[in-house]
Amino acid sequence: MKTGTLAGVLALVACGPDLPPALGDRVTDSALEVVEGSGSEWVIGKRLALSELEGKPVVLDFWASWCGACALQHQYVAELEATYGERIEVLGVLFDDTPENGRVWLQKQGATYPTVLELGQDLADEFWLRGLPYFVLLTPDRRLSWDFLGVATGPNSPNHDSVTARLEAMLGS
């Protein structure tokens, strides 16, 4: 690597925007508003903080009604929710979409877990979210355990194996 290139990279790291969280990093406590409350006691419009979910592993499923691949991701996350039930917290996070479009989409897809909208874009900004679907698994103390862009479908997916192994370890199964 040329000296000028190395200096440029170091300057970017030192002066540029923060990097997305690495595995084990604590994730921002984002403010959320319930868009659809399936699978919870939450009503539309309820506000909560991500920190209120601490104590259990948390799955965040970022999606939008216009995202074709999000239907496959939604099915995968619903299967995780069905498998682990109340031992984990599962949230859909509607991104770059309207609550109305989200609710119509959920009526077609079937909603088994609540969906929220970020009141800011703390998580989207922190993860440098640039595409969907986007999956995040947090430890019970809000640390990043796993994240990926794209769809994890079925038991043959390497993402599925990583998520399952991590959940099992967190739950002591």
Side-chain angles (χ1 to χ4, degrees), residues 90-171:
V90 179
L91 285 181
V93 183
L94 189 62
F95 178 75
D96 195 26
D97 206 342
T98 66
E100 296 76 22
N101 288 345
R103 283 190 284 274
V104 169
W105 189 87
L106 286 167
Q107 286 174 349
K108 292 177 187 173
Q109 298 300 321
T112 61
Y113 53 90
T115 292
V116 298
L117 189 64
E118 275 196 281
L119 296 177
Q121 278 205 298
D122 298 336
L123 292 172
D125 291 345
E126 182 173 7
F127 284 105
W128 294 9
L129 190 58
R130 302 294 182 263
L132 295 173
Y134 188 68
F135 178 97
V136 175
L137 175 61
L138 302 176
T139 64
D141 63 347
R142 218 173 66 238
R143 295 187 183 280
L144 180 61
S145 177
W146 191 250
D147 68 327
F148 56 88
L149 176 63
V151 179
T153 57
N156 297 326
S157 165
N159 290 331
H160 175 80
D161 292 343
S162 292
V163 169
T164 301
R166 290 165 192 274
L167 278 171
E168 294 290 329
M170 282 185 247
L171 296 170

Side-chain angles (χ1 to χ4, degrees), residues 9-145:
V9 169
L10 291 174
L12 178 62
V13 171
C15 301
D18 292 334
L19 295 173
L23 296 181
D25 286 351
R26 193 159 168 84
V27 173
T28 298
D29 187 15
S30 183
L32 310 167
E33 184 174 310
V34 176
V35 171
E36 209 290 325
S38 291
S40 73
E41 296 176 3
W42 301 338
V43 296
I44 292 174
K46 174 183 173 55
R47 293 188 174 192
L48 66 143
L50 187 58
S51 61
E52 293 177 47
L53 305 178
E54 287 186 19
K56 295 181 183 179
V58 176
V59 171
L60 301 175
D61 173 26
F62 288 84
W63 64 275
S65 64
W66 47 262
C67 167
C70 289
L72 293 173
Q73 181 78 359
H74 179 74
Q75 181 181 12
Y76 169 72
V77 174
E79 289 169 9
L80 283 175
E81 191 271 334
T83 300
Y84 294 100
E86 293 184 10
R87 298 186 303 159
I88 65 172
E89 295 286 350
V90 179
L91 285 181
V93 183
L94 189 62
F95 178 75
D96 195 26
D97 206 342
T98 66
E100 296 76 22
N101 288 345
R103 283 190 284 274
V104 169
W105 189 87
L106 286 167
Q107 286 174 349
K108 292 177 187 173
Q109 298 300 321
T112 61
Y113 53 90
T115 292
V116 298
L117 189 64
E118 275 196 281
L119 296 177
Q121 278 205 298
D122 298 336
L123 292 172
D125 291 345
E126 182 173 7
F127 284 105
W128 294 9
L129 190 58
R130 302 294 182 263
L132 295 173
Y134 188 68
F135 178 97
V136 175
L137 175 61
L138 302 176
T139 64
D141 63 347
R142 218 173 66 238
R143 295 187 183 280
L144 180 61
S145 177

